Amino acid sequence: MIEALKQRVNDDAALVRRGRYLTTTFLLEVGPTAWLISIFEGRVVSVTRGPFVMPSSSFALRAPEAEWQKFWSRRPPPGSNDLMALIRRRVLKAEGDLQILMAHLRYFKEALAKLRPEGAETRAMA
């Protein structure tokens, strides 16, 4: 499912434009499975599945698989509908250079929400 992120983000011209000043690689951990996601000027250029011996990334987002499944459901329940809500509930750990995450927070929120089912209700993420 994570592999679909590249196409879904890159097909959204407004999202790519929002991330035009973002170039980074971050680690996304879904339970025991790690993914390195590389972004160049707002476009996802690669999504690579681990395991990795020594992954190089700017920051990491780590949460149990069950929490990501709630986040990626068609209508996420309250507390699971937003990255900051997951952090507030202490089920998502953000580690590393968080300045990059916070400077482009809306981009990351919208990009990761792209993994919700097609036609899923999207809520304003300000």
Side-chain angles (χ1 to χ4, degrees):
M1 177 176 92
I2 307 294
E3 297 91 351
L5 185 68
K6 181 177 178 180
Q7 180 180 356
R8 290 185 183 184
V9 169
N10 294 344
D11 286 350
D12 186 338
L15 184 55
V16 171
R17 187 173 53 255
R18 175 167 287 118
R20 67 187 173 271
Y21 300 116
L22 173 63
T23 297
T24 193
T25 298
F26 74 98
L27 183 75
L28 180 69
E29 281 191 6
V30 180
T33 308
W35 301 84
L36 274 177
I37 301 169
S38 295
I39 301 167
F40 180 75
E41 296 179 352
R43 293 192 169 277
V44 176
V45 292
S46 69
V47 177
T48 309
R49 183 180 178 144
F52 305 105
V53 177
M54 293 177 62
S56 178
S57 63
S58 300
F59 65 92
L61 297 175
R62 296 180 164 99
E65 188 172 353
E67 292 298 331
W68 283 118
Q69 291 305 323
K70 285 189 231 175
F71 177 79
W72 289 321
S73 65
R74 182 171 300 280
R75 294 187 58 143
S80 296
N81 63 322
D82 183 81
L83 293 180
M84 296 310 288
L86 293 171
I87 290 172
R88 189 175 303 120
R89 288 183 38 236
R90 298 182 185 197
V91 294
L92 174 64
K93 292 185 181 181
E95 303 167 342
D97 186 358
L98 300 184
Q99 190 278 332
I100 296 169
L101 173 65
M102 297 309 287
H104 301 279
L105 185 59
R106 186 166 176 194
Y107 175 90
F108 287 109
K109 286 180 177 187
E110 291 182 16
L112 291 174
K114 290 284 183 190
L115 293 174
R116 292 181 177 145
E118 294 288 336
E121 179 182 315
T122 55
R123 298 176 189 162
M125 293 184 217

